Amino acid sequence: MRVLFLGDVVGRSGRAAINARLPGLRAEWRLDFIVINGENASAGMGLTPDHARAILDAGADVVTLGDHAFDQKDMLSFISTEPRILRPMNFGKGAPGQGAGVFQATRGRKVLVAVALGQVFMKRPFADPFSAVDDVLRAHPPGGAVQASVIEIHAEATSEKTAMGHFCDGRASLVVGTHTHVPTADTMLLPGGTAYQTDAGMCGVHDSVIGMDKAEPLRRFITGMARDRFTPATGEATLSGVLVETDDSTGLARKVHAIRTGGPLVEALP
Ligand SMILES: [Fe+2]
Ligand SMILES: [Fe+2]
């Protein structure tokens, strides 16, 4: 299967790039399944129901969320009505919605998608992501009832994400990090056959500070004082992520490609 994963959609420019390009890429790259993190799609913070529907309508099979999952309050009720949206498994015991699911890909094939939050350098003390991921992978072993599996680790620390990759090696098709909004250059197949990249990067504007208009972050770093709110940068967004080619019978990866297209980042295509 050809599975595309795209990192955090940031603001209007990120949404516009998804709308404009995803339907064409689905055909051009013969994609069987698409996962997109949407946690920053609405004004840079969270995801509204309307924007969630737009990303799904553009061709995403699953939209995932991270630490900003419920910044837009309407998501608290909407997520229970839309199984194609996942919040992190370890977000909190009382959180509505699900953190993992099995979804339909092309030709009747099934894909497990699960998202977990890291613990290192995160704002809240989230529960252990390793045990959450272990549970879901034990329930869906490779070569079993699902033909592919995508584990997203939404975390700040590269070390924690790398450890998650090795923890899942040979048990998942893809382990990919999100949350830092900057793509890493370590796209690879791990020894056990799991595709891995520490961070997918974002679908947002790179002439910015991690997707936000650069004036206010610069002011805060330089003066130590806040004056305005953060707002998403505008301009041409880069779509960033990975495309993994999986083997239906083993559930593991055959090939993985970094994806970066649009905007100022050096282009990477499958
Ligand atoms: Fe994010
Ligand atoms: Fe995040």
Side-chain angles (χ1 to χ4, degrees), residues 130-152:
F130 290 86
S131 63
V133 168
D134 193 48
D135 287 349
V136 80
L137 287 178
R138 280 178 194 278
H140 303 282
V146 299
Q147 281 71 52
S149 51
V150 174
I151 302 295
E152 177 183 352

Side-chain angles (χ1 to χ4, degrees), residues 12-22 203 237-239:
R12 179 185 305 272
S13 296
R15 300 196 313 269
I18 294 285
N19 271 330
R21 301 208 48 203
L22 196 64
C203 298
T238 303
L239 299 184

Side-chain angles (χ1 to χ4, degrees), residues 17 34 69 99 102 116 138 162-163 185 200 256 266:
I34 301 172
V102 174
R138 280 178 194 278
T162 305
V256 61
V266 173

Side-chain angles (χ1 to χ4, degrees), residues 8 37 39-40 67-68 154 179 181:
D8 312 27
N37 183 300
E39 74 151 2
N40 306 105
D67 53 315
H68 291 290
H154 193 84
H179 178 71
H181 295 191

Side-chain angles (χ1 to χ4, degrees), residues 117-193:
L117 285 157
Q119 294 180 302
V120 180
F121 307 137
M122 299 299 281
K123 277 189 198 125
R124 286 203 291 126
F126 298 109
D128 170 26
F130 290 86
S131 63
V133 168
D134 193 48
D135 287 349
V136 80
L137 287 178
R138 280 178 194 278
H140 303 282
V146 299
Q147 281 71 52
S149 51
V150 174
I151 302 295
E152 177 183 352
I153 173 70
H154 193 84
E156 193 73 51
T158 51
S159 56
E160 190 176 21
K161 292 190 263 194
T162 305
M164 183 61 81
H166 291 300
F167 183 68
C168 299
D169 188 19
R171 302 200 285 163
S173 317
L174 171 68
V175 175
V176 62
T178 49
H179 178 71
T180 68
H181 295 191
V182 177
T184 56
D186 58 346
T187 320
M188 64 177 147
L189 293 180
L190 298 175

